[in-house]
Amino acid sequence: MADVAEPAVDGAPVGQVVTRDGTIVAANAEFNDVVGRGRQDLLGQSLESLLPAGSQIYLQTHVAPLLALQGRVDDLAMDFARPDGTTTATLASVRTDAGGYDHWAFLRAPGRARFEAEIQRGRRVAEHTKERLTMIGQLSTGLATAVDLDGVARVVAAILGIANDGRSGGVVWVPGGGEAMVPIGAGRGPSVDSPPPTRDPESPVVRAFTTGEVVVDADIEVFAVPFGPSSPPDGVVTVSLSAVRSSLLTDMLSLRDADDAGVALVADDALLLTTLAGQVGQAVHRAQLYQDKDWLLGVAAHDLRSPLTTIGGVAEVLPRLMGDRLHERERDLVESIVAAAKRMDALIEDVLVVSSSESGSLVLDRRMVDLGALARDAAAAHEQRAAAKQIDVEVVVAAADPMCSADERRLRQAVDNLVGNAVKYSDRGATVRVMLTDVDDAVRLEVIDEGQGIPADELPNVFLAFNRTSAQPTGGESSTGLGLSIVRRLVEAHGGTVDAASEVGVGSTFGFTVPRHPDPDGE
Amino acid sequence: MDVLERNVVTVTGPADGLPLVFAHGYGCDQSMWRFITPAFADTCRIVLFDHVGSGASDASAYELDRYASLGGFADDVIQIGRKLDLRGAVLIGHSVSAMIGALAVTAAPDLFDALVMVSPSPRYVDEGDYRGGFSRADIDELLETMDRNYLGWSEQMAPVIIGDPDRPDLSDELTTSFCRLDPRIARHFARTTFLGDNRDDLADVPVPTLVVQVARDAIAPVEVGEYVHARLPDSELVVLDSVGHCPHLSAPTATADAIRDFLDRRVS
């Protein structure tokens, strides 16, 4: 043993063994104790023969290559079977010296098993929680874009991986009571394996859960979401119920989630599920408000129009009434009141279009309309403004048949908007071309400008309401950001589609295609 | 995902050299070949890769169904071979990859001219008269040992600093990380490896085969090597006077010599 750099030392606090090619060449007294064998029994034995067969495989397949490649391995859990039938749990480390000897150290770790079990459990709970958090994140994102209660139900069902077939098992009440019941999931009740909720069976929450019935209590809005992600088919299920009282979460039933490790949910899980419940509740609330908003918008717009008519009407009549008593400067002021009233009226009209199309109440008065004539009218309507910027507006009717069934007023508004935009965003001396072409059973109108163009990353959003691109009107004109979204709504109300193409510094092409005749199945 | 990326395939050596495809065994990755590839680097085209779920491979590509049997892994090897447009290659597989190699050369004889099986075993669990060396309970104990070491294993994967004056060829690598594996995938791969039975596949191997066995290997004892050699249609058995399951790590020179000798005589 003269060539062994550091022999095993008796009295060391760890079991020490030195091996060469797996054979024990030195062992200290502590190691003898660990394995329950005398030193003479150990010398010349292979270290792995002291381990159970499964551990031997582990040693040869996981540990030995790593030791050969990097010269050390730490923190191995190795259990030695003693001749008396007991097991010694150890934490082991090993390193290879320059002479090719492997120096092993074994620290007894009697608490290691329990400690590991706790950490394993903690790790599983953490992974569990991480999954929940991911789910909540997805839920928040999904719900933020859901604008109707059906949408909320679909999003919740999709994310929680449960069938949205409308059967009982989970219902959502909008705070305010009973008006918006959204069946969320299939009737996955508790499985025979999961214990019943540990609450008063007469509580409305428990009744809702156990019977699947819709339960309304005067004080409590019951909010139940069956919560069963990736449950195995033999029916282990996780359910969350929370009682929402005046939008505050006040209650939470105990839960049982039996995954294959039998992990019961802990307080942190309950907190997460509370958050989940709150998120869904808020989203439902928001969806309700959103629907109300449209109605409010419509009402406000109509109510605004009435005094506006008075303002504009009186202002128009005033110069005639006043006659010579109105001097030129005052006449100009009155004319600006009339112009402002008209602008405001146009804006209210835009808002009403947006509001009514969104709420589905946009009614079309259809007749056969000559789209070419609308294009020429639009060019004429913007002639003065275009001339002021020395912009040429050409109309090219290349369609054999420019007629289509449409609400003339609405479609005129759409064409007008596009031509107006093109003029607004074009530079001096540019050309704006309005082209009409046939496309099968539809007519296509394109407005092609040589304006500043729209950056590619902004292009997908141009038809969204209140969207403003980085492009600026070239004549100091203002923009509400509603124009293109109105074009889209009006065209889509006719069963058509809008599109846009653009290149910065070159120009843009805005177009729409409308079917000649309405779809008999309705739009 | 591209096959070569998925399996972290590396190809070195002369383009017209004899292609050698090295398939690592269970529990580690392609780095376990580093001690013997230098012996072939000048004359052979060296192809190294990691099995899906091992090393730096794309773990997300590990499908439980595909890799529930060795066939899935063999198919990956064939995909790599086709992607690299190999002809007349030699597949060198260690441990479970010896059998993976057997399946691959049988399914794609157009790619491979020869097979080298290092410490092979077609079945680890005893059955009837067959001695694989282990019982079913032993394999369960292996899985438990893996579970016990689940926690610590990620710490093992921390990069280590190589500074071995005896190995100047490694001096460029300041830090590296060997035998990376996802413990959960390793568990599944362990079941596939140690509970499988590929004895019947030996008779179908259509190419000359070298079986390299270690005299004192508890995982693949010499008896198993002899069993494998007896059932292969055209094979040679070399028993190295060494210890352990990884002769390419513990006795790289002897292993490389045995392989080179076989290649010189049996592969054009």
Side-chain angles (χ1 to χ4, degrees):
Chain A
M1 286 232 310
D3 53 350
V4 175
E6 295 157 27
V9 177
D10 285 342
V14 294
Q16 284 180 305
V17 162
V18 183
T19 61
R20 174 89 185 208
D21 292 332
T23 304
I24 298 173
V25 298
N28 70 351
E30 171 65 12
F31 185 72
N32 299 342
D33 270 345
V34 165
V35 297
R37 288 173 169 80
R39 186 169 309 179
Q40 293 315 307
D41 293 334
L42 291 173
L43 296 180
Q45 289 284 351
S46 79
L47 177 63
E48 68 181 11
S49 66
L50 302 173
L51 297 166
S55 295
Q56 291 182 28
I57 301 177
Y58 184 78
L59 203 65
Q60 287 296 336
T61 56
H62 285 73
V63 180
L66 204 53
L67 185 60
L69 287 168
Q70 65 186 28
R72 64 181 298 154
V73 183
D74 293 308
D75 296 329
L76 288 167
M78 289 174 70
D79 291 359
F80 289 95
R82 299 160 59 96
D84 62 5
T86 59
T87 305
T88 311
T90 71
L91 273 173
S93 296
V94 57
R95 62 193 39 63
T96 307
D97 69 20
Y101 290 92
D102 296 328
H103 296 254
W104 297 80
F106 299 95
L107 178 71
R108 281 182 202 259
R112 196 198 73 212
R114 187 177 49 81
F115 170 69
E116 274 167 7
E118 281 299 319
I119 292 190
Q120 293 279 40
R121 192 184 162 281
R123 183 184 285 248
R124 279 201 205 94
V125 170
E127 281 171 0
H128 221 57
T129 303
K130 184 181 160 190
E131 274 168 46
R132 297 280 197 266
L133 272 174
T134 306
M135 203 178 291
I136 285 177
Q138 287 174 342
L139 197 58
S140 300
T141 308
L143 291 174
T145 54
V147 295
D148 56 83
L149 299 179
D150 284 341
V152 170
R154 274 196 301 276
V155 166
V156 172
I159 289 178
L160 298 184
I162 51 183
N164 183 26
D165 61 7
R167 300 208 305 270
S168 69
V171 288
V172 174
W173 275 262
V174 174
E179 291 182 20
M181 246 160 51
V182 179
I184 294 258
R188 275 204 207 177
S191 79
V192 292
D193 291 327
S194 65
T198 55
R199 293 293 177 127
D200 176 2
E202 286 312 304
S203 129
V205 171
V206 177
R207 283 208 327 267
F209 173 64
T210 50
T211 64
E213 281 173 6
V214 166
V215 175
V216 181
D217 182 284
D219 295 341
I220 300 174
E221 299 138 39
V222 180
F223 177 106
V225 179
F227 194 83
S230 59
S231 299
D234 55 346
V236 174
V237 85
T238 308
V239 179
S240 146
L241 288 187
S242 47
V244 180
R245 196 187 298 262
S246 304
S247 304
L248 295 175
L249 196 67
T250 58
D251 207 357
M252 175 70 85
L253 282 183
S254 67
L255 309 156
R256 175 126 178 99
D257 175 20
D259 64 7
D260 55 353
V263 173
L265 292 176
V266 297
D268 282 345
D269 282 330
L271 183 61
L272 288 172
L273 291 168
T274 306
T275 310
L276 178 68
Q279 295 275 14
V280 178
Q282 276 179 41
V284 170
H285 197 81
R286 209 171 25 227
Q288 183 78 29
L289 286 177
Y290 195 91
Q291 285 191 343
D292 292 343
K293 170 191 66 80
D294 278 338
W295 175 78
L296 281 171
L297 212 56
V299 165
H302 279 291
D303 285 352
L304 282 172
R305 269 212 152 137
S306 172
L308 196 58
T309 309
T310 306
I311 294 169
V314 167
E316 257 183 312
V317 157
L318 206 55
R320 248 193 344 268
L321 289 176
M322 301 285 291
D324 296 334
R325 282 171 294 164
L326 211 54
H327 300 295
E328 190 171 331
R329 166 130 177 87
E330 288 148 356
R331 208 172 279 270
D332 286 342
L333 288 173
V334 169
E335 271 173 21
S336 69
I337 293 174
V338 172
K342 283 193 175 141
R343 269 203 311 275
M344 201 166 148
D345 192 70
L347 184 58
I348 291 172
E349 173 69 20
D350 284 353
V351 168
L352 278 175
V353 168
V354 170
S355 159
S356 59
S357 67
E358 203 156 299
S359 62
S361 60
L362 188 66
V363 173
L364 299 178
D365 178 18
R366 284 183 183 269
R367 64 198 63 191
M368 289 313 282
V369 171
D370 183 348
L371 203 50
L374 292 187
R376 283 189 289 269
D377 289 346
H382 292 277
E383 195 182 327
Q384 217 175 4
R385 198 143 18 110
K389 291 161 80 174
Q390 281 160 358
I391 291 172
D392 231 337
V393 181
E394 293 173 11
V395 176
V396 178
V397 179
D401 178 8
M403 306 293 289
C404 66
S405 161
D407 179 319
E408 186 179 329
R409 183 166 81 93
R410 299 298 189 190
L411 211 54
R412 184 188 294 281
Q413 195 177 352
V415 178
D416 216 70
N417 238 300
L418 290 182
V419 175
N421 265 3
V423 172
K424 204 191 280 189
Y425 289 95
S426 284
D427 292 318
R428 298 190 76 82
T431 302
V432 170
R433 209 172 313 124
V434 184
M435 287 253 312
L436 238 77
T437 47
D438 292 303
V439 179
D440 299 327
D441 294 333
V443 188
R444 176 166 173 77
L445 182 138
E446 280 179 344
V447 179
I448 305 151
D449 69 50
E450 294 166 356
Q452 42 199 289
I454 295 165
D457 55 344
E458 293 176 19
L459 204 54
N461 299 327
V462 285
F463 289 108
L464 295 179
F466 303 112
N467 180 71
R468 278 186 183 31
T469 67
S470 49
Q472 292 300 317
T474 54
E477 305 97 321
S478 62
S479 166
T480 56
L482 274 179
L484 283 175
S485 86
I486 286 174
V487 170
R488 177 176 62 87
R489 288 164 197 277
L490 293 174
V491 167
E492 284 174 1
H494 283 82
T497 54
V498 292
D499 52 80
S502 187
E503 198 179 329
V504 172
V506 176
S508 309
T509 300
F510 284 84
F512 64 79
T513 308
V514 285
R516 290 185 196 287
H517 300 283
D519 182 351
D521 295 328
E523 288 127 9
Chain B
M1 183 182 237
D2 175 58
V3 159
L4 302 183
E5 264 183 68
R6 179 191 69 190
N7 288 95
V8 199
V9 178
T10 58
V11 184
T12 53
D16 58 349
L18 173 69
L20 303 180
V21 179
F22 289 88
H24 69 83
Y26 171 77
C28 199
D29 58 28
Q30 59 181 273
S31 51
M32 60 174 1
W33 296 110
R34 65 198 299 133
F35 296 161
I36 73 164
T37 48
F40 301 95
D42 290 339
T43 54
C44 298
R45 191 104 172 113
I46 312 275
V47 177
L48 293 163
F49 71 94
D50 294 335
H51 284 305
V52 172
S54 302
S57 68
D58 179 13
S60 69
Y62 195 89
E63 293 162 46
L64 297 179
D65 287 340
R66 178 176 176 79
Y67 301 109
S69 73
L70 298 186
F73 294 101
D75 198 52
D76 288 353
V77 173
I78 294 171
Q79 283 178 359
I80 293 169
R82 296 227 183 282
K83 186 76 189 219
L84 295 175
D85 200 25
L86 297 180
R87 291 279 175 277
V90 179
L91 185 44
I92 302 171
H94 169 246
S95 188
V96 65
S97 289
M99 288 315 302
I100 290 172
L103 294 174
V105 307
T106 305
D110 55 310
L111 294 176
F112 301 103
D113 274 358
L115 175 65
V116 175
M117 300 171 106
V118 181
S119 312
S121 176
R123 183 187 160 105
Y124 291 89
V125 176
D126 298 339
E127 188 195 47
D129 291 337
Y130 174 80
R131 286 281 162 271
F134 301 95
S135 68
R136 178 62 206 255
D138 292 334
I139 306 306
D140 289 338
E141 205 265 314
L142 163 66
L143 298 174
E144 280 166 36
T145 306
M146 290 172 68
D147 286 344
R148 277 201 292 279
N149 282 285
Y150 179 114
L151 265 178
W153 200 255
S154 51
E155 276 74 52
Q156 308 291 8
M157 296 303 105
V160 289
I161 300 185
I162 306 288
D164 184 348
D166 292 342
R167 296 300 307 273
D169 54 309
L170 298 178
S171 59
D172 289 340
E173 297 158 319
L174 291 180
T175 64
T176 187
S177 189
F178 300 112
C179 303
R180 282 168 291 186
L181 39 75
D182 178 325
R184 281 169 297 182
I185 291 178
R187 211 178 188 281
H188 184 268
F189 190 11
R191 293 177 64 92
T192 303
T193 299
F194 294 103
L195 297 177
D197 187 345
N198 294 92
R199 288 176 292 171
D200 291 341
D201 296 310
L202 293 168
D204 296 333
V205 173
V207 300
T209 306
L210 171 68
V211 179
V212 179
Q213 204 68 38
V214 175
R216 290 171 296 285
D217 177 1
I219 313 301
V222 174
E223 299 75 44
V224 171
E226 285 167 352
Y227 178 97
V228 169
H229 169 50
R231 275 154 191 74
L232 287 166
D234 176 4
S235 68
E236 303 173 21
L237 174 64
V238 170
V239 178
L240 301 178
D241 182 20
S242 183
V243 178
H245 186 54
C246 303
H248 50 308
L249 282 170
S250 57
T253 310
T255 309
D257 286 347
I259 294 174
R260 192 183 301 105
D261 176 62
F262 170 74
L263 293 180
D264 287 344
R265 282 183 295 104
R266 299 302 310 274
V267 181
S268 52

